[in-house]
Amino acid sequence: RTEAALALARRHQAAMYRRISVHLDHGFDCKRRTEAALALARRHQAELVGIYANAAPPQYYYGESVLMSRSLGIIKELQSQSRDAVQNAFMEATANADVPAYLRTGEGSPSATVALLGRTSDLIIVSQENREDVEAAHEIEFVEQTLLTAGRPVLALPSSGDFPVIGDRVLCCWDGSREAARALADAAPILRLASHLIVLTMNEGEASPKAETPFEDLATYCVAQGMPAPEHVRRDIKGVGVGSTILNAAADHGADLIVMGAYGHSKLRQWALGGATASILKSMTVPVMFSH
């Protein structure tokens, strides 16, 4: 009987996220992002990896020279002190929360660093771009490049709002595509702990609709995976758009997390995302887990 209980406990732990990464930078949103990561780590009994990745903010580069009034050496020293402060704050927060934690720092752009060092985690946590957060890691399409190159699910937090609970009421976007199936599987550890799962399908008004997985099969899969029996919600996007339809459905059903596939491709290092992904990243109101 004891061995059976231990085996069940091991299976339960294996079904959760065991290692979560969170992006660390100098921005004021870093603390809120760390708090959200800590809450998820505690819920999943996971260890937390803080990935420091910061690029100099754009105001450092006015004119033809780099900060004419200061030497580059002084700037590097100040940045090192700031990095130490960020990392020390992270380690203090994890210690207070009794969450096992590690620090990682890499070279290169913020997105390349987070993507590379986050590949040995189950989930990567970043924040929506906030142009007012001038000390944050500035890079063109940081979130987009991270989620398209990491090979891991990426949880993006909105630039405003508090999210003490992430993943209790989940809205999952489903269109039967490869990306949607990948997103559902990547989110399984969170969905197994959810109390409510809403599956959103959208009518795009196509003359000849593409083949879709029967909802009954999807519901059976979710239950077999230990997820809540899903509630099916279908919306017409005509005149609204995919992004707004998703955000409206999340608000209508009180979702604290959206799960969706990220559609995109690369060509000569220029990243192009599908309209729905770009729209959500611009206007998100609740945390969104993207899978690509």
Side-chain angles (χ1 to χ4, degrees), residues 13 15 17 50 93 136 138 142 147 149 169 171 210 225 280 288:
Q13 289 183 340
Y17 294 133
H138 282 271
F142 163 71
L147 67 91
T149 59
R169 294 182 59 86
L171 177 78
K210 58 185 178 182
Q225 289 293 322
I280 292 291
V288 182

Side-chain angles (χ1 to χ4, degrees), residues 1-274:
R1 188 175 301 175
T2 302
E3 292 180 356
L6 289 174
L8 182 61
R10 284 194 292 268
R11 285 197 297 270
H12 177 67
Q13 289 183 340
M16 298 190 293
Y17 294 133
R18 307 306 298 154
R19 186 177 173 94
I20 297 172
S21 287
V22 58
H23 172 221
L24 304 179
D25 63 7
H26 302 159
F28 58 70
D29 203 35
C30 184
K31 180 182 178 187
R32 200 166 56 94
R33 189 163 61 245
T34 299
E35 290 173 349
L38 283 170
L40 270 178
R42 285 194 299 266
R43 190 171 189 183
H44 287 263
Q45 302 174 32
E47 58 187 24
L48 196 57
V49 180
I51 301 177
Y52 176 84
N54 198 88
Q59 72 265 28
Y60 287 177
Y61 299 103
Y62 288 123
E64 297 180 358
S65 63
V66 179
L67 276 182
M68 297 177 64
S69 62
R70 297 187 180 186
S71 70
L72 185 59
I74 293 177
I75 295 302
K76 288 183 177 180
E77 181 179 351
L78 291 174
Q79 288 180 334
S80 177
Q81 293 174 359
S82 297
R83 179 194 64 213
D84 292 344
V86 169
Q87 293 180 329
N88 290 340
F90 171 77
M91 293 304 291
E92 181 180 355
T94 56
N96 291 338
D98 196 24
V99 171
Y102 306 90
L103 286 168
R104 295 290 183 268
T105 303
E107 301 293 334
S109 69
S111 65
T113 298
V114 173
L116 175 64
L117 298 179
R119 287 187 187 125
T120 50
S121 294
D122 301 312
L123 179 69
I124 300 173
I125 301 178
V126 300
S127 288
Q128 177 190 28
E129 180 183 4
N130 184 355
R131 295 183 182 277
E132 296 181 2
D133 196 352
V134 295
E135 296 297 326
H138 282 271
E139 178 184 1
I140 296 175
E141 297 184 337
F142 163 71
V143 178
E144 291 91 330
Q145 296 199 57
T146 299
L147 67 91
L148 286 175
T149 59
R152 310 303 297 157
V154 173
L155 177 62
L157 303 180
S159 58
S160 62
D162 294 316
F163 310 99
V165 177
I166 299 176
D168 184 57
R169 294 182 59 86
V170 183
L171 177 78
C172 185
C173 304
W174 181 261
D175 63 0
S177 66
R178 167 199 171 278
E179 289 82 359
R182 172 73 179 270
L184 182 65
D186 283 344
I190 278 186
L191 296 178
R192 292 187 185 104
L193 297 179
S195 67
H196 202 74
L197 172 60
I198 304 101
V199 171
L200 173 67
T201 59
M202 288 168 279
N203 178 13
E204 302 183 24
E206 298 176 350
S208 54
K210 58 185 178 182
E212 293 185 2
T213 303
F215 181 76
E216 294 75 11
D217 288 349
L218 178 62
T220 301
Y221 170 81
C222 290
V223 173
Q225 289 293 322
M227 306 172 189
E231 173 187 352
H232 189 191
V233 173
R234 190 170 183 86
R235 295 284 178 92
D236 190 336
I237 68 169
K238 186 177 181 180
V240 180
V242 176
S244 295
T245 298
I246 294 171
L247 293 176
N248 290 341
D252 292 345
H253 292 272
D256 54 42
L257 174 67
I258 296 171
V259 172
M260 61 182 291
Y263 298 79
H265 64 276
S266 62
K267 183 178 181 181
L268 299 178
R269 301 295 296 173
Q270 297 297 314
W271 300 108
L273 282 173

